[in-house]
Amino acid sequence: MNSLFYALPFVMVAVLIIMGLYTVLFKRNLIKMIMGVAIIQNGVNLFLVSLAYREGYVAPIWTSAPDVDMVLPTPHALTLTSIVIGVATTALMLSFVIMLKKHYGTTDSHETRRCKE
Amino acid sequence: MRKIFALIALLVIFAFMILAVVEMRGEDGGFGEPVNTDMDDYFLEDSQPHNQVNNVVTAILFDYRGLDTLGEATVLFSAVSGVLTVLRKYQIKKLEVKK
Amino acid sequence: MNWKMSRVVRTVTDVMVVPIIVFGIYLIIHGHLTPGGGFQGGAVVASSTALLIIAYGSFRDYKKDFSSVESIGLTLFIFLAILGILLGATLFYNFGAGTGGLFGGRVAEGINPGYINTGGTVPLMNIMVGLEVTAALSLILWMMAKSSDSMEVEA
């Protein structure tokens, strides 16, 4: 129980990813499914940032830094990459939903599954 | 019935994640105490004498791992191309309707 | 339909757009000194586009878009990366650091107050990526607003 408390950000990562998977699996609205994918992306970003953390250290920027002990910079750079790619994929999925809405007149995933000319 | 199976699968995945979190604290390094930090320490020491950059994250993004950023910019570019390709059809149709 | 919000919202938008763009440009060109850089600054500049679209409608009669700005930003970024090979080093080699040219100054080692004329190719790449991200996000927002505009007309 003690180790679970000290690793609380990782527990939150697990909760976020499970919430996103639940939303993707059980919701019928396509926009809510995209929200689930975005929640999974945020969970992964939180995981990367938590991996970079060193207790009591400062951000890896030398300009007027309060201390010379700094946290790991590489996961921060990867998180930046991940955020931008998440924005790009979310925009692409939302434009697909716009297209489906215009074609079928609904955003229900069960309705858009059937074949229609 | 399918929903019940999916819920059970989700719970199993969640249990394994929590188990991994509990196991992570130890000599492998958990939250707040990473162990294998050689590369990051090298970046922290090297970004000022070699790149003349104060912001280490920017130095990694544009010099050490520049190929990563190039792929990211390409992904963004292709995503925008996809959005334009998907949505431009409706613009043209709407303009014709307007006439 | 081409919606338009009330006069209060439009006036506040007129006042706020220029500071938002200036702050985004500050984030881009100080990317090698402070938290920020091309991606964050580009996102901030694109948020001004979102504000304009919310306040003034989707500008659907305008034909010109800025996809050429995005292409120019990405092309110059790749050109700067390949210039490292052409000058006899590796891809993404920082050939401008400490040479005394543009952004070629030297930083003081350790904790320092920051000096903007440093960094070599890193600030240039920040500017290119800032151009690309600004154009990309603005274009995505604008095309979505335009297409959802025409959705109400058809329905």
Side-chain angles (χ1 to χ4, degrees), chain C residues 18-153:
Chain C
V18 175
I20 287 174
I21 292 177
V22 169
F23 179 63
I25 293 171
Y26 159 76
L27 277 186
I28 290 174
I29 66 177
H30 284 244
H32 55 296
L33 295 178
T34 55
F39 295 105
Q40 296 94 321
V44 169
V45 177
S47 73
S48 72
T49 309
L51 199 57
L52 279 176
I53 285 175
I54 287 173
Y56 280 99
S58 65
F59 300 102
R60 66 176 180 202
D61 294 331
Y62 287 91
K63 284 286 174 50
K64 289 192 174 178
D65 55 10
F66 17 78
S67 58
S68 58
V69 178
E70 191 193 2
S71 308
I72 287 170
L74 187 56
T75 311
L76 286 176
F77 180 63
I78 296 174
F79 175 72
L80 269 179
I82 293 178
L83 208 57
I85 295 181
L86 296 183
L87 292 179
T90 56
L91 194 68
F92 283 97
Y93 181 69
N94 196 345
F95 53 85
T99 55
L102 180 65
F103 292 117
R106 292 190 164 273
V107 295
E109 300 280 325
I111 298 170
N112 54 356
Y115 178 47
I116 195 169
N117 195 14
T118 55
T121 59
V122 172
L124 295 173
M125 285 184 182
N126 260 324
I127 292 169
M128 305 309 165
V129 170
L131 272 181
E132 199 222 339
V133 172
T134 305
L137 294 184
S138 306
L139 207 54
I140 286 173
L141 288 170
W142 191 32
M143 294 304 280
M144 280 187 177
K146 271 168 113 178
S147 64
S148 57
D149 221 5
S150 64
M151 189 186 290
E152 279 183 56
V153 172

